[in-house]
């Protein structure tokens, strides 16, 4: 069979409210042209994020009823801990309410003024937590990772030579080395097992702990299985275990490959660091056997971790992205190739060459997608990364628009509708003007900043 179907049936449905273009023009204007400001029931297809927006399985909902809400020592925690350790063999598993809480705790240990933390590419919340601690984040992805149509199979790889030079240059100011799998901010591109091992070896050589931001570990493992020499016949669980076996810790948003609507964790091997982390956790999240989550959430995640490594699921998951990328490519929309794991990325700078980066071509494209088709996407470019530590503004490495695909939520016909919206957009794209920011916060401005259209 060539058709890769959704490997599930639908037991419960959520209606979508269909709006008109005229309504949407008013709605986005009153949200100050920031898509985060919209009400989600004013959105037809919500591709803002794949975070926590997936559909849980009937087995996960059943697990929710088994949740034990004891404050300390809940069996839900031990089921959760066992499910994590089955895939990621770390000594200490510390639950948090989401990934950023795990990052904040990690940075309370490793961050601080004058510290320098390298990664392939830090995600925005990771960078936010690093900077809030006074440290600096550095992105050392391979050069191919910045070339939208370069077909390198592992465009999320760390540039090992640059990392070596970095570690020499910054020496004692480097508290740890990180890597993000898959590389979300860099296009959902995977990192090879070989590259993870090389990064780990280099970190070890310099005596630095190696921490994986593992939000999309299962999608990354699928790419390793598909693309890396010698990995094709191995099972996903074993590939996942190999990735984490060389790390000293991980941060996780279980809203991604935990298949949960909420949750996360910090894992560490070092006992002293784990004690510091748990003390911080008790102050900010909760007791170490629930860490900001309800017992039922921990059970939903334990079940989610068993489902996310299923090969039928992962094949379908990656195929959806491939399908959208191929169709957009065939109608001339510049997309990041090869397709990433959780999202499709449009190169807005290339598609709207008449809009300069400092007028935010990604924002112009994202707003137009909403107005024309009710599709909510996310700018990942100069709005998100353009503000410099000194307050000035510079073009980001790329101006992308991300169509993040929620897990197990939309169907093939939603994908076909999306392509049609792009066909409509192609007819008017040359008339799109950019935006200026009229109000913004100091950190992570993209969530709340207000825009005005340039006329
Ligand atoms: C989502 C995400 C985070 C943050 O997790 P939250 O659960 O949203 O706080 C960190 N890193 C990456 C790569 C992510 O995708």
């Amino acid at each position: 069979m060539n058709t890769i179907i959704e490997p599930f049936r639908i037991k419960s449905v959520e209606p979508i409210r269909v709006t008109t273009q005229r309504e949407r023009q008013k709605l986005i204007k009153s949200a100050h042209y920031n898509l985060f400001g919209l009400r989600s029931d004013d959105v037809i297809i919500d591709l803002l994020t794949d975070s926590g927006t997936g559909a849980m399985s009937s087995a996960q909902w059943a697990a929710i009823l088994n949740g034990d809400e004891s404050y300390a020592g809940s069996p839900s925690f031990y089921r959760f801990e066992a499910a994590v350790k089955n895939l990621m063999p770390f000594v200490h598993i510390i639950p948090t309410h989401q990934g950023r809480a795990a990052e904040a705790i990690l940075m309370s240990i490793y961050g601080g003024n004058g510290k320098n933390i390298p990664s392939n590419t830090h995600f925005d919340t990771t960078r936010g937590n690093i900077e809030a601690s006074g440290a600096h984040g550095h992105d050392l992805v391979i050069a191919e990772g910045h070339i939208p149509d370069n077909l390198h199979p592992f465009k999320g790889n760390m540039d090992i030579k640059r990392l070596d030079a970095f570690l020499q240059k910054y020496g004692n100011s480097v508290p740890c080395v990180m890597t993000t799998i898959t590389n979300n901010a860099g296009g959902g591109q995977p990192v090879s097992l070989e590259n993870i091992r090389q990064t780990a070896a280099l970190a070890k050589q310099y005596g630095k702990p190696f921490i994986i931001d593992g939000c999309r570990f299962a999608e990354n493992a699928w790419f390793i299985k598909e693309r890396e020499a010698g990995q094709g016949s191995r099972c996903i669980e074993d590939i996942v275990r190999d990735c984490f076996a060389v790390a000293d810790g991980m941060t996780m948003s279980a809203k991604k490959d935990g298949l949960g609507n909420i949750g996360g964790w910090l894992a560490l091997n070092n006992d002293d660091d784990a004690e510091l982390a748990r003390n911080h956790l008790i102050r900010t999240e909760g007791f170490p056997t629930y860490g900001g989550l309800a017992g039922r959430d921990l059970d939903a995640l334990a079940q989610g971790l068993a489902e996310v490594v299923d090969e039928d699921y992962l094949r379908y998951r990656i195929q959806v992205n491939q399908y959208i990328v191929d169709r957009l490519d065939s109608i001339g929309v510049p997309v990041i190739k090869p397709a990433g794991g959780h999202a499709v990325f449009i190169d807005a700078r290339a598609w709207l060459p008449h809009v300069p980066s400092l007028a935010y071509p990604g924002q112009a494209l994202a707003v137009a997608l909403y107005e024309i088709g009710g599709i909510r996407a996310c700018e990942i470019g100069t709005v998100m990364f353009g503000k410099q530590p000194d307050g000035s503004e510079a073009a980001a490495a790329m101006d992308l628009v991300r169509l993040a695909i929620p897990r197990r939520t939309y169907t093939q016909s939603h994908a076909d509708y999306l392509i049609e919206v792009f066909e409509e957009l192609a007819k008017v794209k040359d008339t799109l003007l950019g935006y200026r920011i009229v109000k913004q916060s100091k950190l992570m401005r993209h969530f709340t900043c207000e825009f005005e259209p340039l006329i």
Side-chain angles (χ1 to χ4, degrees), residues 98-100 103 123 125 180 184 213 215-216 253 255-256:
Q98 2 188 145
R100 68 198 66 189
E103 293 164 355
F123 184 62
T125 59
T180 313
N184 184 355
D213 175 341
C215 296
R216 297 182 181 77
S253 170
K255 304 173 73 170
K256 323 293 175 41

Side-chain angles (χ1 to χ4, degrees), residues 49-52 96-103 121-126 129 180-185 213-216 251-256 262-264 342 402 447:
T49 173
D50 64 319
S51 177
T96 59
H97 79 280
Q98 2 188 145
R100 68 198 66 189
E103 293 164 355
T121 312
H122 291 291
F123 184 62
D124 58 348
T125 59
T126 321
N129 274 303
T180 313
I181 62 170
T182 57
N183 187 18
N184 184 355
D213 175 341
C215 296
R216 297 182 181 77
T251 56
M252 176 72 188
S253 170
K255 304 173 73 170
K256 323 293 175 41
I262 195 73
H342 66 289
R402 182 184 70 183
F447 288 126

